[in-house]
Amino acid sequence: MDSICYVSQRRSYNGELCTIRYAGKVEGTTGEWFGVEWDDPTRGKHSGEHQGVRYFACKSKHPTAGSFVRPSRAADKPRSFLEALREKYASEFEEEAARRRRGDAASGDALHKPIEISGKIVEEVGFDKIRKQLAELQELKIVLLDGLQVAGVIAHEISAEQFQSVCGEIEQTCPKIIELDLSRNLLNRWRDVASLCASLKRLKTLKLNGNRMESGEEGLIFERITELQLDSTLLSWDEISHLTYQFSSLTTLTASANQISSISSPLSSTITTLALEDNEITSLSSLRKLTSLDSLNRLSLRGNQIDKIYESSSEEASPLRFSNNLQSVDLSRNRIDDWLFVNQLSLVFPGLQTLRISGNPLYNQPVGSSMVIGLPEKTMTVDEAYMLTLCRISTLKMLNYGTITEKDRSNGELYYLSLVGKELSAFPESAEREILAKHPRYSELCHIYGEPVIRRATVSTGSGAIVNPRSVAARLLRITFCLRRELPISSPPDMDQDDASNHEIKVKEIPRSFDTYQVKAIVSRLFGLAPYEFKLIWETDELDPVSKQNIDDEGGWDSEDEGTNAPQPNDSSVFVKREVELVDSTKDIGFLFQSELTEAKIRVEIAA
């Protein structure tokens, strides 16, 4: 067994990071094994089990995060902090310096031979100067050491005295670092991180994303860190909460992609910005512990599974309310699909001024199905989604990264009022209270802009029966299709081609949301015709005046001068029914037939 191995140790194999979760024998095999959990959960083969026996548990919920590897398998060499720093920022300069120290005069002279132009020696400006600037480690302020197999202050065990000497060297080598990125490395112990922070006296921002840290250790203090990033560390919420109290100056915390489903304990009251993106949060009420953060100003919940305010109806008895100081909230890419959720945001976040809520299924719904019965069921546009959101939250100043102008607000609120008016018009007066309960800003907006015009109406069928506009029947159109079949040549000479017996009639109820292609497919099945063999003519009940003279004129009227020669209806005019062809289109037939119309007659004509 590897003598320096321990459970929770971080390792890298061919650039693939993992954490040792088990060391020992595996039943049914020979020799010793390491049970490892891969940072990339698709890299493994199981979750710590072999032949029904569990040997270790993975923090990741992915079913293939674990594997067994032999202790003899060669691991990538870990680096100390200074080794990684010098390799990243000073390797080229130090190699050049080493060549000089070795007395490699030829190489040095070739590299630094003066440049002559027209016999004059000029100074080389640019690359050499940049290389020297990068090599000045003492001047570095932002250091990125992500993915360099950094194990900590040192890469192997040394004495306490040697350890303190290395910490002193770090302090002298790079004293001006204010931002340090140690993401996706081999870190796992907080005491190593604390030693680094203590050596970097000006450090403010610390990024540890993708490491697999052990639980926080008591007694550690991180005094100057104001921003801490712990994305994809798989730390539990309680571990994260405990850590924040050790960072006495912490104001910004990101803890995204950590499988967090609920907030079980509060955070340090110093936090002003919090990111909990790509976790497993399903309701805003699961964040109730955060309402005690009076200083919290920005909260990002992007990419979770939120679809409701309260997890259960019993929670509604204790209203959820965050501090007025919380002004910016990101709810994009969740599972919000109800406008009632948006209506409540101003109650949950009374200080809300900046909201991002794009990428939710709410905006994939038809406007008509969610607001007004009788409107064409088309997916709302970006502009409609924008207006229908801002009109519900009076305090908003920015929505989905766009600044809300006074014109945007008035347009959105007027559009919203008109939709509410149409919804009220589509239902009987007895339903008004129930409808307005879904629109809490209605009275306020009526006070500002005036009440919308409400014209309540009912829809009647041809038989005189009243149809509730909310019912399925009101969304169906009863169509009578009429096809005249041509008589065969052998028909008796006295048989009238227009005889009613030659007409084939079919009646079908069709949803208004169908387009012409779908209607033609139905007609094709009803009459056994190919879709390209016929056209559909709607025989409307509307009359058009036509001059008798023009009826007799076989050539028809085709003047381009509409102002002087256009036929005018007069006493000698007759009226004919207007006919409209249903041209091939993806547009709903509901756009063609008015909502009051419940029956129509369509003539099926065989194409010539």
Side-chain angles (χ1 to χ4, degrees):
M1 180 66 66
D2 190 336
S3 61
I4 62 171
C5 163
Y6 59 90
V7 173
S8 296
Q9 184 185 47
R10 298 277 286 161
R11 288 201 172 189
S12 174
Y13 294 100
N14 297 323
E16 295 281 353
L17 300 176
C18 65
T19 305
I20 296 178
R21 302 294 186 198
Y22 171 79
K25 296 184 179 295
V26 176
E27 190 69 27
T29 67
T30 59
E32 301 290 325
W33 293 91
F34 289 157
V36 302
E37 177 182 357
W38 299 99
D39 286 16
D40 176 4
T42 63
R43 170 69 177 74
K45 297 181 178 179
H46 50 75
S47 60
E49 293 184 2
H50 178 68
Q51 295 183 349
V53 179
R54 177 165 294 283
Y55 291 89
F56 62 93
C58 295
K59 285 191 173 184
S60 172
K61 295 180 180 179
H62 199 282
T64 61
S67 287
F68 289 105
V69 299
R70 290 292 188 182
S72 57
R73 181 174 176 176
D76 299 333
K77 181 182 177 181
R79 296 185 178 91
S80 69
F81 174 79
L82 284 177
E83 285 175 335
L85 181 73
R86 286 167 177 153
E87 181 170 335
K88 177 73 177 284
Y89 292 100
S91 57
E92 183 179 354
F93 181 78
E94 289 193 350
E95 288 174 3
E96 182 180 324
R99 286 197 300 269
R100 288 183 175 182
R101 287 194 296 269
R102 290 195 303 267
D104 193 349
S107 174
D109 291 343
L111 185 63
H112 294 284
K113 184 177 180 179
I115 300 174
E116 294 187 17
I117 299 178
S118 300
K120 296 181 180 180
I121 298 177
V122 299
E123 180 183 0
E124 181 182 2
V125 179
F127 295 109
D128 190 49
K129 184 175 291 185
I130 292 173
R131 283 196 295 267
K132 291 179 180 179
Q133 287 176 347
L134 288 176
E136 293 291 339
L137 300 182
Q138 289 187 341
E139 299 300 318
L140 287 174
K141 293 183 179 181
I142 299 176
V143 171
L144 310 177
L145 301 180
D146 53 310
L148 292 180
Q149 285 88 48
V150 178
V153 172
I154 42 87
H156 50 82
E157 295 297 330
I158 57 177
S159 67
E161 184 177 344
Q162 291 174 316
F163 186 88
Q164 290 301 319
S165 175
V166 173
C167 289
E169 185 180 357
I170 292 174
E171 184 176 348
Q172 292 179 354
T173 303
C174 45
K176 296 184 180 181
I177 294 178
I178 59 174
E179 179 178 325
L180 175 61
D181 190 346
L182 290 171
S183 301
R184 294 172 292 281
N185 276 295
L186 303 180
L187 298 168
N188 73 318
R189 293 184 295 200
W190 283 105
R191 61 177 179 269
D192 292 334
V193 176
S195 297
L196 271 175
C197 292
S199 301
L200 303 173
K201 305 298 185 183
R202 299 186 184 182
L203 185 62
K204 298 291 185 181
T205 299
L206 177 62
K207 301 178 181 180
L208 299 174
N209 305 322
N211 287 285
R212 294 292 184 267
M213 309 300 297
E214 296 178 349
S215 296
E217 303 172 47
E218 298 295 335
L220 298 179
I221 298 176
F222 304 82
E223 292 181 338
R224 295 173 296 277
I225 305 298
T226 59
E227 179 179 347
L228 176 63
Q229 295 189 11
L230 298 174
D231 300 344
S232 302
T233 56
L234 300 188
L235 288 167
S236 70
W237 178 257
D238 286 340
E239 290 173 326
I240 293 171
S241 171
H242 178 74
L243 275 170
T244 63
Y245 292 96
Q246 295 178 306
F247 287 77
S248 57
S249 301
L250 192 63
T251 59
T252 300
L253 172 67
T254 70
S256 302
N258 283 316
Q259 306 178 152
I260 297 169
S261 59
S262 64
I263 306 303
S264 52
S265 51
L267 294 174
S268 168
S269 59
T270 60
I271 304 289
T272 61
T273 300
L274 176 62
L276 297 174
E277 301 177 359
D278 299 313
N279 280 295
E280 300 173 1
I281 300 167
T282 59
S283 69
L284 293 182
S285 64
S286 62
L287 309 173
R288 192 179 290 273
K289 294 288 186 181
L290 300 180
T291 58
S292 62
L293 298 180
D294 292 335
S295 298
L296 186 62
N297 178 260
R298 300 172 61 88
L299 175 63
S300 180
L301 300 169
R302 173 185 171 90
N304 277 271
Q305 302 168 23
I306 298 171
D307 61 357
K308 50 188 170 295
I309 301 291
Y310 298 98
E311 193 66 37
S312 62
S313 57
S314 61
E315 285 189 304
E316 296 185 35
S318 178
L320 181 68
R321 183 184 175 93
F322 283 80
S323 165
N324 288 347
N325 290 325
L326 180 52
Q327 298 180 350
S328 176
V329 177
D330 189 342
L331 290 169
S332 60
R333 301 192 180 281
N334 275 275
R335 298 181 179 178
I336 302 166
D337 61 359
D338 195 332
W339 286 111
L340 297 179
F341 182 101
V342 182
N343 288 343
Q344 297 182 72
L345 289 180
S346 58
L347 301 177
V348 177
F349 305 110
L352 187 60
Q353 295 183 13
T354 300
L355 174 66
R356 191 177 184 201
I357 196 171
S358 55
N360 279 282
L362 175 66
Y363 297 135
N364 297 328
Q365 298 177 356
V367 176
S369 66
S370 61
M371 285 289 297
V372 185
I373 304 300
L375 283 183
E377 292 193 359
K378 62 182 182 67
T379 301
M380 69 182 70
T381 64
V382 173
D383 288 339
E384 287 171 329
Y386 188 79
M387 290 189 292
L388 291 176
T389 303
L390 71 86
C391 67
R392 286 173 159 83
I393 308 173
S394 61
T395 57
L396 279 187
K397 295 181 179 179
M398 291 191 68
L399 175 60
N400 296 334
Y401 294 133
T403 300
I404 300 173
T405 65
E406 291 185 9
K407 184 177 181 180
D408 290 336
R409 179 159 294 282
S410 61
N411 287 345
E413 292 175 342
L414 284 169
Y415 176 64
Y416 175 62
L417 263 184
S418 70
L419 291 183
V420 178
K422 291 178 181 179
E423 186 175 9
L424 290 170
S425 298
F427 290 85
E429 189 172 356
S430 59
E432 182 171 314
R433 178 176 296 182
E434 180 182 351
I435 293 171
L436 294 183
K438 298 183 298 182
H439 305 293
R441 291 202 69 208
Y442 179 74
S443 296
E444 176 189 350
L445 296 179
C446 285
H447 181 72
I448 298 173
Y449 302 104
E451 293 187 14
V453 177
I454 300 172
R455 297 188 180 93
R456 290 189 172 88
T458 56
V459 178
S460 61
T461 64
S463 62
I466 301 300
V467 179
N468 186 341
R470 192 178 183 181
S471 66
V472 175
R475 302 187 190 184
L476 297 177
L477 185 66
R478 180 182 176 86
I479 300 180
T480 300
F481 296 100
C482 181
L483 170 67
R484 193 184 72 178
R485 298 282 189 182
E486 295 292 336
L487 291 176
I489 299 176
S490 58
S491 300
D494 60 345
M495 180 67 72
D496 186 355
Q497 288 286 337
D498 291 331
D499 191 279
S501 61
N502 300 336
H503 293 187
E504 189 174 349
I505 296 175
K506 302 285 186 181
V507 180
K508 190 73 175 177
E509 289 187 334
I510 296 178
R512 295 176 183 271
S513 59
F514 275 26
D515 58 34
T516 307
Y517 293 109
Q518 292 172 299
V519 175
K520 280 196 168 184
I522 292 173
V523 173
S524 178
R525 292 194 298 269
L526 289 175
F527 296 102
L529 302 172
Y532 55 84
E533 291 182 348
F534 62 88
K535 58 183 179 179
L536 302 178
I537 307 297
W538 171 31
E539 299 178 351
T540 75
D541 291 329
E542 298 181 11
L543 298 177
D544 283 335
V546 180
S547 169
K548 289 182 180 179
Q549 177 183 353
N550 290 326
I551 293 176
D552 296 333
D553 183 2
E554 293 183 358
W557 172 80
D558 87 9
S559 171
E560 296 180 1
D561 188 354
E562 297 185 3
T564 59
N565 296 326
Q568 301 296 322
N570 50 45
D571 293 339
S572 64
S573 296
V574 294
F575 293 86
V576 296
K577 286 188 176 183
R578 180 183 300 170
E579 295 184 345
V580 178
E581 182 179 355
L582 274 66
V583 297
D584 293 344
S585 172
T586 57
K587 184 179 292 187
D588 299 349
I589 62 172
F591 283 92
L592 184 63
F593 299 101
Q594 297 178 358
S595 59
E596 294 81 5
L597 188 67
T598 60
E599 297 184 357
K601 182 179 179 180
I602 292 181
R603 189 170 71 250
V604 182
E605 289 188 357
I606 303 298

